[in-house]
Amino acid sequence: SQKIEQNSEALNIQEGKTATLTCNYTNYSPAYLQWYRQDPGRGPVFLLLIRENEKEKRKERLKVTFDTTLKQSLFHITASQPADSATYLCALEAFQKLVFGTGTRLLVSP
Amino acid sequence: GAVVSQHPSRVICKSGTSVKIECRSLDFQATTMFWYRQFPKQSLMLMATSNEGSKATYEQGVEKDKFLINHASLTLSTLTVTSAHPEDSSFYICSAPNRGNSGANVLTFGAGSRLTVL
């Protein structure tokens, strides 16, 4: 069966450190993968998209990697800040619909 | 950038009543809108795809008579939860796709509607 898995346990890190979140998928062959941020009680907000032929994508303090052999994407936030605390969701497109992972909650403490 | 406005943000209703949630694209036309449902600490589950001018497409297991979706215009889609029951209590979020230059289905989400059925 198709699965998109993210670590369900919250990730706690200290301000200034790099946060790394993982997204693993099975039985998908995505042309691209997306990352969204969701704050409590709010809708998700699009952050980054990476294509299957791209190894790495950067946007300010964010970096995403995509390994289609491992079927994995890593999402990095460098120099993390308390304002980065949120839930981060990865998503794949299947049959013109976006399917989301369960998300990983990131807590950045001062 | 693209903005999707969703109302109401919170609604509490009695069991057996119907609740309507509106989703508007403010500065662009959305021929398609996706409606998701999210339970606490769970992922977003796609309920249905609304299409302007045609019937909505529902995901497997979603009751179309329970969750009525109408895409009245290029900027408005509505979800009506009919005869709501406590198990319908959830966070409902609409979204509109924007393929842009990437060709990918990037979604702009509304702020979500928290439904509590007593």
Side-chain angles (χ1 to χ4, degrees):
Chain A
S1 62
Q2 293 178 314
K3 287 183 184 178
I4 304 173
E5 295 178 311
Q6 296 182 255
N7 193 340
S8 58
E9 293 182 13
L11 176 63
N12 290 277
I13 64 168
Q14 214 168 6
E15 183 176 9
K17 302 292 186 183
T18 295
T20 299
L21 287 71
T22 305
C23 176
N24 295 294
Y25 60 92
T26 54
N27 293 323
Y28 284 101
S29 298
Y32 47 83
L33 185 146
Q34 302 181 37
W35 284 89
Y36 288 76
R37 168 182 172 144
Q38 186 176 23
D39 290 287
R42 307 289 295 177
V45 174
F46 170 74
L47 294 175
L48 276 171
L49 176 150
I50 186 166
R51 298 179 179 280
E52 60 178 340
N53 61 351
E54 295 176 317
K55 294 293 184 185
E56 182 179 296
K57 196 80 166 283
R58 291 176 184 261
K59 179 182 177 182
E60 298 173 352
R61 294 184 295 111
L62 308 181
K63 185 179 84 172
V64 171
T65 62
F66 193 11
D67 189 325
T68 55
T69 301
L70 291 178
K71 296 187 182 296
Q72 180 182 82
S73 175
L74 299 179
F75 178 81
H76 307 272
I77 305 176
T78 58
S80 60
Q81 304 166 359
D84 294 327
S85 298
T87 296
Y88 292 87
L89 305 158
C90 65
L92 303 174
E93 184 166 337
F95 304 105
Q96 299 191 332
K97 303 168 192 174
L98 267 193
V99 181
F100 286 83
T102 50
T104 298
R105 188 176 176 201
L106 173 66
L107 299 170
V108 181
S109 53
Chain B
V3 176
V4 172
S5 175
Q6 184 173 346
H7 295 280
S9 58
R10 293 177 186 272
V11 57
I12 300 173
C13 69
K14 292 183 179 180
S15 188
T17 61
S18 294
V19 173
K20 180 185 280 188
I21 299 169
E22 289 191 352
C23 190
R24 293 179 185 272
S25 56
L26 294 188
D27 49 0
F28 66 104
Q29 293 182 335
T31 56
T32 299
M33 280 198 183
F34 297 103
W35 286 91
Y36 287 85
R37 179 176 182 174
Q38 187 176 35
F39 290 106
K41 297 187 179 181
Q42 293 189 25
S43 186
L44 289 86
M45 297 301 297
L46 181 63
M47 299 175 63
T49 303
S50 74
N51 302 292
E52 189 270 336
S54 63
K55 290 184 179 180
T57 305
Y58 289 81
E59 295 301 302
Q60 193 172 11
V62 177
E63 300 176 60
K64 61 180 180 181
D65 295 330
K66 173 78 169 174
F67 299 100
L68 299 179
I69 289 174
N70 183 27
H71 201 130
S73 72
L74 288 172
T75 59
L76 175 63
S77 177
T78 60
L79 166 67
T80 301
V81 183
T82 63
S83 186
H85 288 97
E87 58 265 30
D88 298 324
S89 299
S90 189
F91 191 53
Y92 295 88
I93 323 174
C94 64
S95 64
N98 180 3
R99 287 202 173 269
N101 295 327
S102 68
N105 215 3
V106 174
L107 296 184
T108 299
F109 283 88
S113 299
R114 171 75 59 193
L115 171 62
T116 302
V117 184
L118 303 177

